Amino acid sequence: MDKIMKKKIPLLKILVCIFPLFTIGMIFAFRNILYKLSTHLPACPIYKYFHVYCPGCGNTRSVQYLLKGDVLNSLKFNITPVFILILGTLAYIELVLYIFGKNIKIIPRKKIFWVSIIILFILYYIARNVWNIAAL
């Protein structure tokens, strides 16, 4: 049983290291197709009828700019995709460190941190609607 586990661990290490490279390569290879597919999504009904941004408003345009490599313009439309990208990268780094024997936590695990993040996101969504109403 021990020999089987020892054979699986190097394979797991290789797969974990190759997966993000494969994913990034596929996104890079098909970014034009992904961009064109995203232009066919319907408009947000909440914004269309009430002229209020929902938490998801701007995510498509934000991701489109991320596919182009333009992080600053991506942040102008919505901060959520960039935040998820950063969080996913940190989680991946933790996974790689764990697989190679280092149990290091990069992402905070305390409840106060996550409550603070949620409060900041709520304030962000309120602020972008206040500026939107002022612009009308």
PDB file of all heavy atoms in Angstrom, residues 57-76:
ATOM      1  N   CYS A  57     -23.123  43.392 -12.103  1.00  0.00           N
ATOM      2  CA  CYS A  57     -23.007  44.326 -13.217  1.00  0.00           C
ATOM      3  C   CYS A  57     -21.544  44.697 -13.466  1.00  0.00           C
ATOM      4  O   CYS A  57     -20.816  45.064 -12.553  1.00  0.00           O
ATOM      5  CB  CYS A  57     -23.808  45.598 -12.945  1.00  0.00           C
ATOM      6  SG  CYS A  57     -25.566  45.417 -13.232  1.00  0.00           S
ATOM      7  N   GLY A  58     -21.145  44.576 -14.698  1.00  0.00           N
ATOM      8  CA  GLY A  58     -19.780  44.928 -15.083  1.00  0.00           C
ATOM      9  C   GLY A  58     -18.818  43.751 -15.061  1.00  0.00           C
ATOM     10  O   GLY A  58     -17.677  43.886 -15.498  1.00  0.00           O
ATOM     11  N   ASN A  59     -19.260  42.590 -14.553  1.00  0.00           N
ATOM     12  CA  ASN A  59     -18.354  41.445 -14.503  1.00  0.00           C
ATOM     13  C   ASN A  59     -17.913  40.997 -15.890  1.00  0.00           C
ATOM     14  O   ASN A  59     -16.750  40.660 -16.094  1.00  0.00           O
ATOM     15  CB  ASN A  59     -19.000  40.271 -13.766  1.00  0.00           C
ATOM     16  CG  ASN A  59     -18.900  40.397 -12.270  1.00  0.00           C
ATOM     17  OD1 ASN A  59     -18.104  41.161 -11.749  1.00  0.00           O
ATOM     18  ND2 ASN A  59     -19.728  39.646 -11.575  1.00  0.00           N
ATOM     19  N   THR A  60     -18.832  40.989 -16.845  1.00  0.00           N
ATOM     20  CA  THR A  60     -18.475  40.550 -18.193  1.00  0.00           C
ATOM     21  C   THR A  60     -17.434  41.468 -18.803  1.00  0.00           C
ATOM     22  O   THR A  60     -16.416  41.009 -19.335  1.00  0.00           O
ATOM     23  CB  THR A  60     -19.728  40.500 -19.091  1.00  0.00           C
ATOM     24  OG1 THR A  60     -20.684  39.633 -18.491  1.00  0.00           O
ATOM     25  CG2 THR A  60     -19.389  40.005 -20.481  1.00  0.00           C
ATOM     26  N   ARG A  61     -17.656  42.772 -18.717  1.00  0.00           N
ATOM     27  CA  ARG A  61     -16.673  43.718 -19.262  1.00  0.00           C
ATOM     28  C   ARG A  61     -15.352  43.642 -18.502  1.00  0.00           C
ATOM     29  O   ARG A  61     -14.276  43.757 -19.087  1.00  0.00           O
ATOM     30  CB  ARG A  61     -17.234  45.137 -19.231  1.00  0.00           C
ATOM     31  CG  ARG A  61     -18.327  45.336 -20.279  1.00  0.00           C
ATOM     32  CD  ARG A  61     -19.026  46.631 -20.088  1.00  0.00           C
ATOM     33  NE  ARG A  61     -19.813  46.477 -18.851  1.00  0.00           N
ATOM     34  CZ  ARG A  61     -20.573  47.408 -18.324  1.00  0.00           C
ATOM     35  NH1 ARG A  61     -20.651  48.576 -18.898  1.00  0.00           N
ATOM     36  NH2 ARG A  61     -21.252  47.196 -17.235  1.00  0.00           N
ATOM     37  N   SER A  62     -15.443  43.407 -17.196  1.00  0.00           N
ATOM     38  CA  SER A  62     -14.231  43.270 -16.394  1.00  0.00           C
ATOM     39  C   SER A  62     -13.408  42.068 -16.851  1.00  0.00           C
ATOM     40  O   SER A  62     -12.190  42.163 -17.017  1.00  0.00           O
ATOM     41  CB  SER A  62     -14.608  43.136 -14.917  1.00  0.00           C
ATOM     42  OG  SER A  62     -13.465  43.012 -14.118  1.00  0.00           O
ATOM     43  N   VAL A  63     -14.070  40.948 -17.078  1.00  0.00           N
ATOM     44  CA  VAL A  63     -13.378  39.748 -17.542  1.00  0.00           C
ATOM     45  C   VAL A  63     -12.848  39.955 -18.960  1.00  0.00           C
ATOM     46  O   VAL A  63     -11.745  39.494 -19.294  1.00  0.00           O
ATOM     47  CB  VAL A  63     -14.302  38.511 -17.458  1.00  0.00           C
ATOM     48  CG1 VAL A  63     -13.690  37.313 -18.159  1.00  0.00           C
ATOM     49  CG2 VAL A  63     -14.605  38.178 -16.008  1.00  0.00           C
ATOM     50  N   GLN A  64     -13.597  40.667 -19.813  1.00  0.00           N
ATOM     51  CA  GLN A  64     -13.113  40.953 -21.161  1.00  0.00           C
ATOM     52  C   GLN A  64     -11.795  41.717 -21.106  1.00  0.00           C
ATOM     53  O   GLN A  64     -10.865  41.413 -21.858  1.00  0.00           O
ATOM     54  CB  GLN A  64     -14.153  41.754 -21.938  1.00  0.00           C
ATOM     55  CG  GLN A  64     -15.346  40.952 -22.377  1.00  0.00           C
ATOM     56  CD  GLN A  64     -16.420  41.807 -23.017  1.00  0.00           C
ATOM     57  OE1 GLN A  64     -16.500  43.007 -22.797  1.00  0.00           O
ATOM     58  NE2 GLN A  64     -17.275  41.170 -23.809  1.00  0.00           N
ATOM     59  N   TYR A  65     -11.719  42.717 -20.232  1.00  0.00           N
ATOM     60  CA  TYR A  65     -10.468  43.462 -20.108  1.00  0.00           C
ATOM     61  C   TYR A  65      -9.364  42.606 -19.501  1.00  0.00           C
ATOM     62  O   TYR A  65      -8.192  42.756 -19.861  1.00  0.00           O
ATOM     63  CB  TYR A  65     -10.677  44.750 -19.311  1.00  0.00           C
ATOM     64  CG  TYR A  65     -11.243  45.860 -20.161  1.00  0.00           C
ATOM     65  CD1 TYR A  65     -12.581  46.209 -20.093  1.00  0.00           C
ATOM     66  CD2 TYR A  65     -10.441  46.554 -21.059  1.00  0.00           C
ATOM     67  CE1 TYR A  65     -13.113  47.211 -20.886  1.00  0.00           C
ATOM     68  CE2 TYR A  65     -10.949  47.553 -21.851  1.00  0.00           C
ATOM     69  CZ  TYR A  65     -12.283  47.882 -21.768  1.00  0.00           C
ATOM     70  OH  TYR A  65     -12.794  48.878 -22.564  1.00  0.00           O
ATOM     71  N   LEU A  66      -9.713  41.703 -18.595  1.00  0.00           N
ATOM     72  CA  LEU A  66      -8.698  40.790 -18.060  1.00  0.00           C
ATOM     73  C   LEU A  66      -8.153  39.877 -19.154  1.00  0.00           C
ATOM     74  O   LEU A  66      -6.958  39.585 -19.186  1.00  0.00           O
ATOM     75  CB  LEU A  66      -9.278  39.945 -16.927  1.00  0.00           C
ATOM     76  CG  LEU A  66      -9.344  40.584 -15.555  1.00  0.00           C
ATOM     77  CD1 LEU A  66     -10.017  39.652 -14.558  1.00  0.00           C
ATOM     78  CD2 LEU A  66      -7.977  40.983 -15.059  1.00  0.00           C
ATOM     79  N   LEU A  67      -9.036  39.421 -20.053  1.00  0.00           N
ATOM     80  CA  LEU A  67      -8.578  38.586 -21.164  1.00  0.00           C
ATOM     81  C   LEU A  67      -7.622  39.348 -22.080  1.00  0.00           C
ATOM     82  O   LEU A  67      -6.752  38.759 -22.704  1.00  0.00           O
ATOM     83  CB  LEU A  67      -9.769  38.066 -21.969  1.00  0.00           C
ATOM     84  CG  LEU A  67     -10.618  36.986 -21.300  1.00  0.00           C
ATOM     85  CD1 LEU A  67     -11.873  36.720 -22.109  1.00  0.00           C
ATOM     86  CD2 LEU A  67      -9.819  35.710 -21.108  1.00  0.00           C
ATOM     87  N   LYS A  68      -7.800  40.654 -22.156  1.00  0.00           N
ATOM     88  CA  LYS A  68      -6.893  41.480 -22.952  1.00  0.00           C
ATOM     89  C   LYS A  68      -5.624  41.834 -22.175  1.00  0.00           C
ATOM     90  O   LYS A  68      -4.690  42.387 -22.742  1.00  0.00           O
ATOM     91  CB  LYS A  68      -7.591  42.778 -23.362  1.00  0.00           C
ATOM     92  CG  LYS A  68      -8.711  42.599 -24.339  1.00  0.00           C
ATOM     93  CD  LYS A  68      -9.347  43.940 -24.652  1.00  0.00           C
ATOM     94  CE  LYS A  68     -10.513  43.826 -25.588  1.00  0.00           C
ATOM     95  NZ  LYS A  68     -11.150  45.125 -25.844  1.00  0.00           N
ATOM     96  N   GLY A  69      -5.614  41.562 -20.865  1.00  0.00           N
ATOM     97  CA  GLY A  69      -4.456  41.886 -20.038  1.00  0.00           C
ATOM     98  C   GLY A  69      -4.507  43.281 -19.453  1.00  0.00           C
ATOM     99  O   GLY A  69      -3.520  43.769 -18.911  1.00  0.00           O
ATOM    100  N   ASP A  70      -5.638  43.953 -19.531  1.00  0.00           N
ATOM    101  CA  ASP A  70      -5.793  45.326 -19.047  1.00  0.00           C
ATOM    102  C   ASP A  70      -6.466  45.316 -17.674  1.00  0.00           C
ATOM    103  O   ASP A  70      -7.687  45.400 -17.554  1.00  0.00           O
ATOM    104  CB  ASP A  70      -6.620  46.129 -20.053  1.00  0.00           C
ATOM    105  CG  ASP A  70      -6.616  47.618 -19.768  1.00  0.00           C
ATOM    106  OD1 ASP A  70      -6.133  48.034 -18.698  1.00  0.00           O
ATOM    107  OD2 ASP A  70      -7.108  48.366 -20.627  1.00  0.00           O
ATOM    108  N   VAL A  71      -5.660  45.215 -16.616  1.00  0.00           N
ATOM    109  CA  VAL A  71      -6.183  45.075 -15.260  1.00  0.00           C
ATOM    110  C   VAL A  71      -6.844  46.370 -14.786  1.00  0.00           C
ATOM    111  O   VAL A  71      -7.889  46.337 -14.131  1.00  0.00           O
ATOM    112  CB  VAL A  71      -5.065  44.638 -14.291  1.00  0.00           C
ATOM    113  CG1 VAL A  71      -5.575  44.549 -12.861  1.00  0.00           C
ATOM    114  CG2 VAL A  71      -4.483  43.303 -14.719  1.00  0.00           C
ATOM    115  N   LEU A  72      -6.274  47.519 -15.104  1.00  0.00           N
ATOM    116  CA  LEU A  72      -6.834  48.786 -14.626  1.00  0.00           C
ATOM    117  C   LEU A  72      -8.241  49.031 -15.170  1.00  0.00           C
ATOM    118  O   LEU A  72      -9.143  49.423 -14.424  1.00  0.00           O
ATOM    119  CB  LEU A  72      -5.912  49.954 -14.981  1.00  0.00           C
ATOM    120  CG  LEU A  72      -4.581  49.975 -14.234  1.00  0.00           C
ATOM    121  CD1 LEU A  72      -3.717  51.133 -14.710  1.00  0.00           C
ATOM    122  CD2 LEU A  72      -4.805  50.058 -12.737  1.00  0.00           C
ATOM    123  N   ASN A  73      -8.451  48.815 -16.455  1.00  0.00           N
ATOM    124  CA  ASN A  73      -9.796  48.959 -17.004  1.00  0.00           C
ATOM    125  C   ASN A  73     -10.732  47.884 -16.460  1.00  0.00           C
ATOM    126  O   ASN A  73     -11.922  48.130 -16.279  1.00  0.00           O
ATOM    127  CB  ASN A  73      -9.788  48.929 -18.531  1.00  0.00           C
ATOM    128  CG  ASN A  73      -9.525  50.295 -19.114  1.00  0.00           C
ATOM    129  OD1 ASN A  73      -9.937  51.303 -18.549  1.00  0.00           O
ATOM    130  ND2 ASN A  73      -8.833  50.319 -20.229  1.00  0.00           N
ATOM    131  N   SER A  74     -10.203  46.712 -16.176  1.00  0.00           N
ATOM    132  CA  SER A  74     -11.008  45.663 -15.574  1.00  0.00           C
ATOM    133  C   SER A  74     -11.539  46.116 -14.213  1.00  0.00           C
ATOM    134  O   SER A  74     -12.708  45.910 -13.893  1.00  0.00           O
ATOM    135  CB  SER A  74     -10.171  44.393 -15.414  1.00  0.00           C
ATOM    136  OG  SER A  74     -10.885  43.409 -14.714  1.00  0.00           O
ATOM    137  N   LEU A  75     -10.696  46.770 -13.440  1.00  0.00           N
ATOM    138  CA  LEU A  75     -11.099  47.254 -12.121  1.00  0.00           C
ATOM    139  C   LEU A  75     -12.141  48.370 -12.209  1.00  0.00           C
ATOM    140  O   LEU A  75     -12.942  48.546 -11.296  1.00  0.00           O
ATOM    141  CB  LEU A  75      -9.886  47.738 -11.341  1.00  0.00           C
ATOM    142  CG  LEU A  75      -8.947  46.643 -10.840  1.00  0.00           C
ATOM    143  CD1 LEU A  75      -7.663  47.249 -10.301  1.00  0.00           C
ATOM    144  CD2 LEU A  75      -9.617  45.785  -9.802  1.00  0.00           C
ATOM    145  N   LYS A  76     -12.145  49.111 -13.304  1.00  0.00           N
ATOM    146  CA  LYS A  76     -13.130  50.186 -13.458  1.00  0.00           C
ATOM    147  C   LYS A  76     -14.557  49.642 -13.552  1.00  0.00           C
ATOM    148  O   LYS A  76     -15.493  50.281 -13.109  1.00  0.00           O
ATOM    149  CB  LYS A  76     -12.820  51.015 -14.712  1.00  0.00           C
ATOM    150  CG  LYS A  76     -11.622  51.897 -14.573  1.00  0.00           C
ATOM    151  CD  LYS A  76     -11.385  52.655 -15.866  1.00  0.00           C
ATOM    152  CE  LYS A  76     -10.088  53.434 -15.804  1.00  0.00           C
ATOM    153  NZ  LYS A  76      -9.802  54.105 -17.079  1.00  0.00           N
TER     154      LYS A  76
END
